[in-house]
Amino acid sequence: MIGNSKIVGLGESTHGSSEVYKMKYRISEYLIKNLDYNIFSLEANMPESYLMNNYINKNIDSPQDVLRGMYFWLWQTQETLHFVEWLKLHNKNMNNKVLFDGFDMQYYFGALKQIRDIYEANNYELNDINNLTKILKENNRGQKKYTGKIQGVINDLLDKVSQNAVKIDDAEIKKRYLQNITIIRQNIQVGSSLTRDKFMAENIDWIKQNYTPSKVIISAHNFHVSKENSSSMGFHINKKYQSDYVNFGFAFFEGNYTASVNKKIGTFTSQTAPQGSLEYNLNSLNIPYFVLDLKAIKADKNELGKWILKKIQFRKTGSGTENNEFRKTNIADSFDYLIFINKSSHSNLLREY
């Protein structure tokens, strides 16, 4: 199915299904062991995610602490921890070392701290960093748009930081230093999911270009890996890499999942797929798990497959849940393959919230 592709996108219909995460990590382990994929990147803040390499390569830091430092509960699960431990063992025993990374930029804190750490380690004057920290804190309003004036001031400071005579001999540290500056630039510009997805695609491209030869696994929500929506990360990746990008959507019929509702994180019962939805139709086959080859269905002229080529109700929830979890979606244009799981159970959090 994957062939010679260099980037594989693995989606998820919710951010809290144990079965979906287990399957994604199982596929990732296969790609790493058998097809020489050497980068695993997920929908998490890039600077904070990169710190996991200290653990899987050097046995420094606690993986639980790194996962907590990635802000959201989504990856603070037994399923993710098990995969991290597998990566550590793989990197210890195999020549094909895997890089762990993120591609998101929803927070600037990690990027700013890592830049400051380099300044302090080299005893550089901290005025520019202090001014940058001050203005970012004063104008930090989550995803609220910065004014053009404030953006300009921050970019001027970032220009000074990037052009400053900071001597960094280590090539890896230097490129991460410069990328952290990019993460802050992106963060102050994010005002919608459209710009966020565009930046995530740019960060995937940065990873691909800076670690060659590279074969990249992307783990994110179905929407982000989708090829069909022109505002999605997957659309931008597919536009540039075309046949080098293959993606898998995920679907389940019923069960429960972990979610955050009204700032309370817990287990919630999913909406059972209604009659006429994609998941309802697939569940009627009475096969608990299978992969649906959407590329083959699009290429086939068989009348039986035409119903799946049109927009159909399909589960779409994120870290929260809604009264109606289903949205009309063109599945065949969104994904190359769809993995169906009949029943979901909640992901297993590392700690109670």
Side-chain angles (χ1 to χ4, degrees):
M1 292 179 175
I2 291 165
N4 295 319
S5 298
K6 303 297 189 299
I7 304 175
V8 171
L10 300 176
E12 54 199 49
S13 46
T14 81
H15 282 315
S17 167
S18 179
E19 283 71 22
V20 171
Y21 279 132
K22 286 177 181 176
M23 188 68 78
K24 290 173 75 169
Y25 295 140
R26 184 176 170 186
I27 291 170
S28 298
E29 290 173 14
Y30 178 89
L31 294 175
I32 291 165
K33 286 192 297 185
N34 297 283
L35 296 179
D36 296 324
Y37 275 71
N38 57 354
I39 295 172
F40 176 84
S41 191
L42 77 170
E43 185 190 335
N45 238 52
M46 180 179 256
E48 290 83 350
S49 301
Y50 179 72
L51 296 176
M52 188 63 79
N53 293 291
N54 288 334
Y55 177 71
I56 65 174
N57 294 322
K58 304 172 187 176
N59 199 29
I60 300 172
D61 297 334
S62 155
Q64 292 93 333
D65 288 345
V66 177
L67 291 172
R68 278 195 293 271
M70 288 155 59
Y71 305 109
F72 296 110
W73 54 267
L74 317 182
W75 311 281
Q76 297 174 40
T77 65
Q78 294 289 350
E79 292 84 0
T80 303
L81 182 61
H82 179 81
F83 178 62
V84 167
E85 296 292 357
W86 182 90
L87 285 174
K88 180 186 176 186
L89 190 62
H90 171 88
N91 281 6
K92 178 181 177 181
N93 297 325
M94 306 299 290
N95 292 326
N96 176 36
K97 309 297 183 188
V98 178
L99 176 78
F100 189 100
D101 215 339
F103 48 79
D104 211 340
M105 75 312 294
Q106 292 192 78
Y107 298 94
Y108 66 80
F109 310 117
L112 188 60
K113 181 183 183 303
Q114 291 173 28
I115 291 170
R116 177 182 286 275
D117 287 347
I118 288 176
Y119 265 64
E120 291 179 343
N122 291 278
N123 295 315
Y124 290 122
E125 173 59 53
L126 291 172
N127 281 346
D128 290 337
I129 302 300
N130 289 336
N131 290 336
L132 181 60
T133 302
K134 182 179 179 182
I135 195 170
L136 284 170
K137 284 184 176 180
E138 285 178 352
N139 293 278
N140 179 30
R141 299 289 186 273
Q143 293 304 307
K144 184 179 179 181
K145 291 182 180 180
Y146 286 83
T147 64
K149 181 179 179 180
I150 295 300
Q151 283 190 21
V153 171
I154 294 173
N155 278 317
D156 286 344
L157 284 168
L158 289 172
D159 285 342
K160 291 180 70 176
V161 171
S162 63
Q163 295 165 9
N164 203 2
V166 177
K167 182 175 172 55
I168 303 175
D169 295 325
D170 187 292
E172 179 70 11
I173 294 175
K174 184 173 183 178
K175 68 185 177 187
R176 285 287 165 172
Y177 170 85
L178 295 173
Q179 180 62 9
N180 281 335
I181 292 173
T182 297
I183 291 292
I184 297 174
R185 290 191 198 277
Q186 292 173 342
N187 174 267
I188 65 172
Q189 294 179 64
V190 170
S192 67
S193 60
L194 189 149
T195 51
R196 180 186 168 216
D197 271 68
K198 179 177 178 290
F199 289 147
M200 289 197 294
E202 289 176 4
N203 291 337
I204 290 292
D205 186 49
W206 181 88
I207 293 170
K208 189 81 178 65
Q209 300 302 322
N210 278 273
Y211 295 93
T212 55
S214 60
K215 300 177 80 172
V216 185
I217 302 164
I218 302 170
S219 176
H221 192 276
N222 277 345
F223 171 81
H224 295 308
V225 303
S226 168
K227 296 182 177 183
E228 189 264 342
N229 193 309
S230 61
S231 64
S232 71
M233 174 186 72
F235 176 87
H236 295 293
I237 294 172
N238 186 58
K239 185 177 180 180
K240 176 166 185 175
Y241 287 96
Q242 299 182 34
S243 62
D244 266 339
Y245 177 53
V246 170
N247 68 349
F248 290 75
F250 277 78
F252 66 86
F253 173 68
E254 63 180 354
N256 58 53
Y257 54 90
T258 307
S260 174
V261 177
N262 296 324
K263 298 184 179 180
K264 181 181 179 182
I265 299 167
T267 299
F268 295 85
T269 301
S270 68
Q271 182 181 350
T272 299
Q275 188 170 354
S277 67
L278 178 77
E279 290 89 338
Y280 180 91
N281 292 346
L282 297 182
N283 189 66
S284 69
L285 298 173
N286 292 319
I287 305 172
Y289 313 101
F290 61 86
V291 183
L292 188 64
D293 188 339
L294 295 169
K295 292 174 74 174
I297 292 173
K298 288 183 73 172
D300 195 353
K301 304 299 182 182
N302 192 317
E303 291 290 325
L304 291 175
K306 280 194 172 181
W307 66 271
I308 210 168
L309 302 180
K310 303 174 183 178
K311 283 194 172 184
I312 190 169
Q313 293 291 332
F314 178 67
R315 191 186 309 275
K316 180 188 175 184
T317 62
S319 57
T321 185
E322 301 176 31
N323 293 331
N324 183 9
E325 299 178 6
F326 290 79
R327 299 285 185 275
K328 278 203 167 183
T329 307
N330 191 314
I331 305 300
D333 285 346
S334 297
F335 310 110
D336 297 309
Y337 305 99
L338 185 79
I339 296 180
F340 176 78
I341 297 170
N342 63 341
K343 191 164 187 175
S344 165
S345 61
H346 63 85
S347 58
N348 296 283
L349 298 174
L350 293 174
R351 61 190 178 102
E352 291 186 4
Y353 286 81

